[in-house]
Amino acid sequence: MIDNKLVGRQIAHLRTNKGITQLELGERLNVSFQAVSKWERGETLPDVGILTELADILETTVDNILRGGVASLNFRGKIKVSDMIEGITSLKRMGELLGRDNQIYLSAVEGVNKKLNTDIEEAFSDDYAFEAFVAEAIIGNIIQGKYVDVTDIKRNFKHEHFCTIVCDYAAKHNMI
């Protein structure tokens, strides 16, 4: 059941955090500021047809709006940062075990490089680049509906830049 008051408080919270006025939000959605005010007071809900645009403007998900910021527990499994690190390290290890000129290793590296438009072998010797791949792996899992604990993220990332990116992404998917 959708709680209009909770939804309204969430819209108001997200809007004010973005520094957007009710008038500005209304203009961007082609509705009156009075409509936005009614949503925020919990008198009405936004029309279904504008929910995705509203979520995009507020940089969140429709689910986050309709649940009033209350996290959904419908995740499709849980991941650990250490598993993502081990997975990427395993590719490096594959090159060591099979040989960097082995066709299987070369195909795996070529696939990653082509898909991500990068050079994963660079990450094997560059801590910063390595964490970029770990962040990419975690974000990919979040997109697929997996849950990652934010304290696990903060504990395992050395570079604040990637920690912030992944934590922000987790927040957008109701993990904080």
Side-chain angles (χ1 to χ4, degrees):
M1 176 122 189
I2 296 176
D3 181 336
N4 289 18
K5 297 275 186 205
L6 199 57
V7 171
R9 281 194 297 270
Q10 182 66 354
I11 292 170
H13 170 74
L14 293 168
R15 178 186 57 75
T16 55
N17 279 351
K18 301 281 308 157
I20 301 171
T21 67
Q22 287 181 341
L23 180 62
E24 291 168 332
L25 183 58
E27 287 174 349
R28 290 175 71 176
L29 293 168
N30 282 331
V31 299
S32 68
F33 76 89
Q34 293 94 335
V36 175
S37 178
K38 285 182 180 182
W39 301 339
E40 292 183 0
R41 290 193 312 267
E43 292 176 15
T44 62
L45 292 172
D47 291 332
V48 173
I50 64 168
L51 279 173
T52 53
E53 189 176 358
L54 175 62
D56 288 345
I57 292 168
L58 298 177
E59 295 184 17
T60 190
T61 63
V62 171
D63 186 59
N64 185 34
I65 293 170
L66 293 180
R67 289 180 183 274
V70 177
S72 168
L73 300 177
N74 295 326
F75 295 107
R76 295 184 192 115
K78 183 176 181 179
I79 59 168
K80 295 188 292 186
V81 176
S82 60
D83 290 343
M84 302 298 103
I85 293 169
E86 184 178 340
I88 295 168
T89 302
S90 294
L91 183 57
K92 176 184 178 185
R93 186 82 175 115
M94 180 194 293
E96 293 167 357
L97 294 172
L98 298 177
R100 291 175 54 119
D101 58 346
N102 180 280
Q103 209 45 42
I104 294 171
Y105 174 74
L106 290 172
S107 295
V109 166
E110 181 183 341
V112 170
N113 290 347
K114 186 176 181 182
K115 183 76 174 172
L116 298 177
N117 195 28
T118 189
D119 182 0
I120 191 161
E121 288 181 301
E122 221 178 79
F124 299 153
S125 60
D126 180 344
D127 223 25
Y128 191 80
F130 185 85
E131 279 203 357
F133 279 96
V134 173
E136 184 71 34
I138 293 169
I139 289 169
N141 275 281
I142 291 171
I143 289 169
Q144 293 173 1
K146 304 272 177 80
Y147 174 84
V148 61
D149 190 310
V150 174
T151 55
D152 188 30
I153 295 167
K154 291 178 180 178
R155 182 176 46 250
N156 283 286
F157 274 89
K158 297 174 189 166
H159 300 282
E160 187 63 33
H161 173 73
F162 295 116
C163 182
T164 300
I165 289 171
V166 175
C167 284
D168 287 349
Y169 208 87
K172 288 181 185 179
H173 287 79
N174 303 320
M175 292 179 199
I176 295 179

